[in-house]
Amino acid sequence: MKRRVIAALLTLTMVFSLTACGGSKSDSSKDSSKKEEKEATVDTVKDPITISFWHDRTSDTDYAWLKESIDEFNKTNKYGITVEEVGQGYLDDVQAALTTAIAAGDSPVLADLSCNGIPLFASEGVLADMTPYIERDNFDMDNVVKELTDYVYYDKQVVTMPYTRGTAILYYNKDLYANAGLNQAPTSLEELNEYAKKIYDNSNGEVKGVGYTIEPTYYQHYLLESLNDVGFMDADGKGASCLDDGSMKQFLTDWYNWTEEGWCEIPALENASSAMQEDFYNGKLGAFVSSSNRATSISEKAQAAGINLGMSYTVGYGGYSAPLGGGSIGIIGKDHSQQEIAAAWEFVKFLMSDEQVAQNHIKTGVLPTTYSSVETDTLKNFWADEKNEGYKISYEQVKDASAPAMSMYTSEWNSAVRSVYSELIQARDITPDQALDNLKSEASTIFE
């Protein structure tokens, strides 16, 4: 293991085992032994208890729905469980805060975790295994949308449940694109770029045609994936062949040239996503790519600004391509009692109920995470309304969307790539060739 991965892991300082161990049993009583062992690890909440939940749901519509959801759980659960929420910013902020809190022995019981953090926390035994509770309560894991279980299982344990997962949506100004000659959503990156240039030219450089914020595991991952079928990291999570197969070089050169020509917006150094959206609402940007998790917020703000909003499939080189990202909720087992873990499971189970899953999608845009929720009248009726087409698209994309491999290197590689992208696209301090060389140097110290 390379030096910087070791350093990242050491900051977590963790040892945790959820399974209680009993005496040895004879082979003839093996099945009975397993049953008794599982029962010993499963607790039921016996007294009123308060547990904390750290999350990234801090934007307007997200936070409003989260509060509504928590309030309902606190009022209706039969155990006297009280969930207290604490917003931490973005998912990477949750990860950073949780790392510090675990080292200090002061972590929450629940957290919404990104694909960057889950492998690190799971590999060090920080996350409680939900399997005994799943088996006790006959919770159907086959009902969880298969494509959303990529960060659920670790070493034969269930360490998270999909909660704020999302695909990306192309949000575009229908009027601007129609004026440029495009009367339907683009079907490829090449087509999107063609019309983005026309919008820029038609406005004499006043309106950018399209924009992307910097998120290597998400927005740039799916564009790279459309070139190399892998993305920014290999399927085994142990390397980045994109640095040698020509795909990263092509993408870096293209993105740099798009922004150099002016029709592709350069993301702001701070609050890039918010700044890009404000340009869109003010008519200074024709289209941008953002998570489906922001669909409700973006729709409401676009309507208030008088923007004729279109929501479409995201496109990559040669056709449609989509990323799969967002957060999964985990129970922090380290330093927490069985009562706290049992209470946390009750909240997780509540969040995975059909009505909660359906309303989470409707109120915010995050993906429905269970097959049964998709079959509810609540969701069917919502999708039947033409104005909600973008929400349905986000779910339809799931089967073809891609996410980086679950790897202990994801977090550090993401950080390194983000830094180089920023130097190239935002600061413009280096050339695409220099950016590629820098990434190769970083990769040599990160991957085995």
Side-chain angles (χ1 to χ4, degrees):
M1 186 181 297
K2 299 298 183 181
R3 55 180 175 81
R4 295 203 292 177
V5 174
I6 294 173
L9 294 175
L10 286 177
T11 61
L12 300 176
T13 64
M14 333 160 175
V15 239
F16 170 73
S17 173
L18 177 62
T19 306
C21 298
S24 61
K25 302 286 183 178
S26 65
D27 290 341
S28 61
S29 60
K30 189 176 294 184
D31 291 340
S32 174
S33 171
K34 287 182 178 178
K35 181 178 180 181
E36 289 174 5
E37 188 173 340
K38 285 175 183 175
E39 289 176 349
T41 65
V42 179
D43 212 345
T44 301
V45 180
K46 300 176 178 64
D47 299 301
I49 187 171
T50 298
I51 56 175
S52 56
F53 173 38
W54 287 6
H55 62 88
D56 70 320
R57 314 199 75 178
T58 54
S59 66
D60 40 25
T61 52
D62 276 16
Y63 186 68
W65 167 244
L66 175 65
K67 285 290 292 178
E68 184 178 335
S69 183
I70 289 176
D71 287 347
E72 180 179 347
F73 175 78
N74 288 347
K75 291 175 183 176
T76 60
N77 80 83
K78 63 183 181 181
Y79 301 103
I81 303 166
T82 300
V83 174
E84 294 182 343
E85 54 80 21
V86 179
Q88 295 289 355
Y90 296 103
L91 282 174
D92 284 347
D93 299 319
V94 176
Q95 178 181 333
L98 185 57
T99 299
T100 301
I102 289 170
D106 190 28
S107 64
V109 187
L110 288 157
D112 195 16
L113 305 168
S114 73
C115 62
N116 299 333
I118 291 170
L120 289 174
F121 294 127
S123 66
E124 292 304 309
V126 170
L127 303 178
D129 179 15
M130 301 183 204
T131 305
Y133 295 92
I134 289 167
E135 294 178 349
R136 181 196 68 185
D137 295 344
N138 295 315
F139 183 90
D140 185 7
M141 290 300 296
D142 289 334
N143 187 40
V144 180
V145 175
K146 180 182 68 175
E147 291 83 1
L148 303 183
T149 61
D150 48 352
Y151 287 89
V152 165
Y153 297 99
Y154 183 85
D155 195 24
K156 299 181 180 180
Q157 297 182 344
V158 176
V159 294
T160 67
M161 286 286 182
Y163 176 51
T164 54
R165 301 301 302 273
T167 57
I169 292 288
L170 176 67
Y171 299 91
Y172 66 103
N173 185 318
K174 287 184 176 180
D175 294 335
L176 284 176
Y177 272 79
N179 291 339
L182 184 68
N183 293 309
Q184 61 181 15
T187 58
S188 69
L189 181 64
E190 292 81 2
E191 187 176 29
L192 171 62
N193 290 350
E194 176 188 348
Y195 286 95
K197 293 174 188 176
K198 288 183 179 180
I199 288 172
Y200 182 70
D201 291 340
N202 290 348
S203 69
N204 294 316
E206 292 295 317
V207 180
K208 308 287 186 181
V210 70
Y212 304 90
T213 54
I214 294 176
E215 185 52 71
T217 60
Y218 197 55
Y219 305 125
Q220 288 76 54
H221 167 77
Y222 84 88
L223 291 171
L224 278 166
E225 196 272 343
S226 69
L227 281 172
N228 61 19
D229 293 325
V230 176
F232 97 131
M233 188 168 62
D234 294 345
D236 63 4
K238 296 180 179 179
S241 58
C242 60
L243 302 179
D244 301 310
D245 64 13
S247 57
M248 179 63 84
K249 181 175 181 178
Q250 179 180 343
F251 174 65
L252 291 173
T253 303
D254 286 348
W255 193 12
Y256 182 83
N257 288 339
W258 301 339
T259 52
E260 191 74 4
E261 292 167 8
W263 52 268
C264 182
E265 180 163 294
I266 298 173
L269 289 172
E270 296 183 3
N271 301 315
S273 180
S274 297
M276 194 166 283
Q277 289 179 33
E278 285 304 314
D279 284 344
F280 181 79
Y281 304 139
N282 291 328
K284 297 297 183 182
L285 179 65
F288 65 99
V289 177
S290 187
S291 172
S292 59
N293 294 5
R294 299 290 178 259
T296 300
S297 176
I298 291 169
S299 298
E300 291 178 355
K301 290 178 179 177
Q303 183 177 11
I307 299 295
N308 186 9
L309 178 68
M311 288 192 281
S312 176
Y313 297 96
T314 46
V315 290
Y317 290 89
Y320 294 115
S321 180
L324 182 58
S328 298
I329 192 167
I331 300 173
I332 313 304
K334 179 177 169 55
D335 296 330
H336 290 297
S337 68
Q338 290 295 321
Q339 281 288 286
E340 290 173 311
I341 293 169
W345 164 249
E346 294 300 328
F347 183 58
V348 170
K349 191 168 58 172
F350 169 79
L351 294 179
M352 295 296 289
S353 63
D354 282 348
E355 191 63 20
Q356 279 292 307
V357 169
Q359 289 298 333
N360 197 14
H361 175 68
I362 291 168
K363 296 292 181 66
T364 69
V366 305
L367 290 170
T369 57
T370 59
Y371 294 114
S372 56
S373 69
V374 174
E375 295 302 317
T376 61
D377 289 340
T378 300
L379 213 47
K380 285 182 176 179
N381 293 337
F382 179 73
W383 281 347
D385 190 329
E386 187 177 322
K387 73 175 187 297
N388 299 322
E389 180 184 14
Y391 293 80
K392 188 176 183 180
I393 284 172
S394 70
Y395 180 73
E396 290 175 339
Q397 287 185 139
V398 167
K399 65 182 184 302
D400 299 315
S402 64
M406 186 169 179
S407 166
M408 61 191 300
Y409 302 108
T410 306
S411 184
E412 191 175 12
W413 182 229
N414 173 63
S415 179
V417 176
R418 181 193 294 272
S419 179
V420 172
Y421 283 171
S422 181
E423 288 181 80
L424 176 69
I425 301 299
Q426 292 175 313
R428 310 191 85 74
D429 288 338
I430 55 177
T431 67
D433 284 343
Q434 289 171 325
L436 184 63
D437 288 341
N438 290 352
L439 288 173
K440 288 181 177 180
S441 177
E442 292 286 348
S444 69
T445 67
I446 291 173
F447 297 108
E448 287 184 329

